[in-house]
Amino acid sequence: MVNVNNLHFGIETFGDIVSAEDGSLLTAGQSIRQIVKEGELADKLGIDVIGVGEHHRPDYSVSSPEVVLGAIASVTQNIKLATAVTVLSSDDPIRVYERFATLEGLSNGRAQVMLGRGSFTESFPLFGYDLTDYDDLFNEKLELYSQLIKEKPITWHGKFTPSLKDQNVYPKTDYAGLETYIGIGGSPESIIRTARYGYKVILAIIGGQADRFVPYIDLYKKAAAQYKMPIQPIAVHSHGFIADDEEQAVAVAWKNIKANFDRIGLTRGWAPMSREQFDGETKSGSFYVGNPEHVAQRIARTIKLLDLGRFDLVYGAGNQTAAQRERMIELYATKVIPRVKEILTKEVVS
């Protein structure tokens, strides 16, 4: 049964380049500054979390999300500051710890680390890593990161990481470590690994119905019990777009989400998104698109189905305008989130 009082709601952006009103694209710098503005807006409206993605591609503006989150920290008071995700496999776990410990201090304890192997692979050749080591890189670096966040002297030897002998890493945090999630796309091995380390799970549901993730959540709970780790609240993130008018929401989402997925699909062998596929995703799949009532009903169903503790809506996919992005955030905060809580409260009472 969902505890409405413990529910958290977030927004996430992958740093898509923003479109001007005339259809031209803003620069990466302008798009980054827009994200900071959106983070400030989300904080004022009471949204719990903002996540910023890491990408190394021309169609996204953010390659260093912690820098952007630091800027958001300086203009906000309460909102949690997360990555979505930090590609640990091609990063240095020591530097990851140091950057987040710095963000933790700067933000007065609001940093969240979301680690993943990365759904894009551009960072691997960029930083000199071989994709044939994809799994081994993540496994070793996650183990080192797990030692680092204990904030004690560490002795370490690995294949892809530097050897350490009784080494302290700074800064230490004021808040007993770093809150850490693992982003998971649906791999049983990833679920079991997350449970073994005691981290929180955030499921990336970017296609298909949420129902198919029920077995993964059951597996996580069984694995956590086996490893004698606490069963953490489950989080989900999925794409969406909200507008005052249903037809407007669908039109904007169809144009931008399709373009976004088709562009990515060129490098992955996906067929272009059909209208039938898009409509299926918005009706019962992973796209939360429509007016506030429609989106609230669908989010409430997913939260109840998966017994979630957190739901993050990925906004801005494709080249939406600043006005469209900001209005979506406003509707999500002021209409959708209260309505989701109302729906779930009535179901508990009844």
Side-chain angles (χ1 to χ4, degrees):
M1 182 180 296
V2 176
N3 186 336
V4 178
N5 295 326
N6 291 336
L7 269 178
H8 294 90
F9 293 87
I11 55 172
E12 294 181 17
T13 175
F14 294 161
D16 302 74
I17 300 296
V18 180
S19 175
E21 293 295 338
D22 64 2
S24 63
L25 298 182
L26 303 186
T27 65
Q30 289 171 319
S31 298
I32 290 168
R33 293 191 291 276
Q34 177 62 29
I35 293 171
V36 175
K37 183 179 179 183
E38 290 159 359
E40 185 175 14
L41 174 64
D43 183 60
K44 289 179 179 178
L45 294 172
I47 293 174
D48 298 308
V49 187
I50 183 169
V52 179
E54 172 196 342
H55 294 90
H56 305 267
R57 301 165 51 94
D59 42 348
Y60 296 106
S61 64
V62 180
S63 59
S64 300
E66 299 91 345
V67 176
V68 180
L69 293 170
I72 295 173
S74 69
V75 295
T76 58
Q77 296 295 323
N78 300 305
I79 196 166
K80 292 274 190 174
L81 308 164
T83 46
V85 299
T86 292
V87 185
L88 184 64
S89 305
S90 59
D91 211 329
D92 179 347
I94 297 173
R95 293 296 289 150
V96 170
Y97 167 81
E98 290 180 335
R99 296 196 304 264
F100 274 98
T102 301
L103 178 62
E104 182 83 342
L106 179 68
S107 66
N108 197 25
R110 292 186 281 136
Q112 286 185 351
V113 190
M114 191 188 297
L115 301 174
R117 294 185 293 178
S119 59
F120 293 90
T121 59
E122 289 84 1
S123 63
F124 288 81
L126 182 63
F127 297 115
Y129 293 105
D130 192 329
L131 279 170
T132 60
D133 297 319
Y134 186 79
D135 290 323
D136 292 339
L137 281 164
F138 187 76
N139 289 334
E140 179 177 315
K141 292 185 176 188
L142 183 62
E143 177 61 35
L144 176 54
Y145 172 85
S146 299
Q147 296 299 318
L148 290 164
I149 63 171
K150 296 176 182 177
E151 303 192 4
K152 297 178 180 179
I154 180 173
T155 297
W156 171 265
H157 179 74
K159 178 181 178 182
F160 305 104
T161 47
S163 296
L164 304 171
K165 184 176 181 180
D166 200 30
Q167 180 72 53
N168 267 297
V169 180
Y170 301 98
K172 308 298 184 184
T173 67
D174 297 336
Y175 305 94
L178 295 168
E179 183 179 4
T180 302
Y181 285 80
I182 304 292
I184 295 173
S187 161
E189 294 80 8
S190 296
I191 287 280
I192 294 170
R193 178 174 51 225
T194 302
R196 178 163 62 89
Y197 282 102
Y199 293 136
K200 296 179 179 180
V201 171
I202 184 160
L203 297 169
I205 303 181
I206 59 173
Q209 297 184 2
D211 309 56
R212 66 190 178 93
F213 282 84
V214 172
Y216 294 103
I217 295 174
D218 291 341
L219 178 61
Y220 163 74
K221 292 177 179 178
K222 291 177 182 176
Q226 180 179 338
Y227 289 116
K228 295 181 170 57
M229 288 292 185
I231 297 175
Q232 304 278 12
I234 301 293
V236 157
H237 83 202
S238 290
H239 287 81
F241 181 73
I242 310 163
D244 296 272
D245 178 74
E246 182 81 10
E247 290 186 6
Q248 178 195 6
V250 171
V252 172
W254 165 243
K255 173 186 175 183
N256 289 283
I257 292 179
K258 173 181 166 55
N260 179 257
F261 275 65
D262 286 355
R263 184 169 57 247
I264 295 169
L266 290 174
T267 63
R268 301 190 183 183
W270 298 347
M273 180 181 290
S274 68
R275 184 58 191 252
E276 182 181 11
Q277 179 185 358
F278 173 82
D279 289 342
E281 292 289 352
T282 57
K283 181 180 179 181
S284 59
S286 65
F287 297 165
Y288 294 80
V289 172
N291 62 33
E293 179 63 22
H294 178 83
V295 173
Q297 291 285 349
R298 294 213 53 236
I299 291 176
R301 180 190 181 277
T302 298
I303 290 173
K304 182 181 179 183
L305 174 70
L306 302 180
D307 192 23
L308 300 180
R310 170 175 161 185
F311 183 91
D312 285 6
L313 193 63
V314 181
Y315 75 98
N319 304 122
Q320 298 172 25
T321 67
Q324 289 168 341
R325 291 160 60 115
E326 290 176 24
R327 183 57 179 160
M328 198 224 79
I329 293 170
E330 291 173 355
L331 292 172
Y332 182 61
T334 62
K335 302 291 186 182
V336 173
I337 293 174
R339 179 62 176 139
V340 171
K341 291 180 178 179
E342 180 184 34
I343 293 166
L344 293 173
T345 299
K346 286 181 178 179
E347 289 183 353
V348 170
V349 172
S350 60

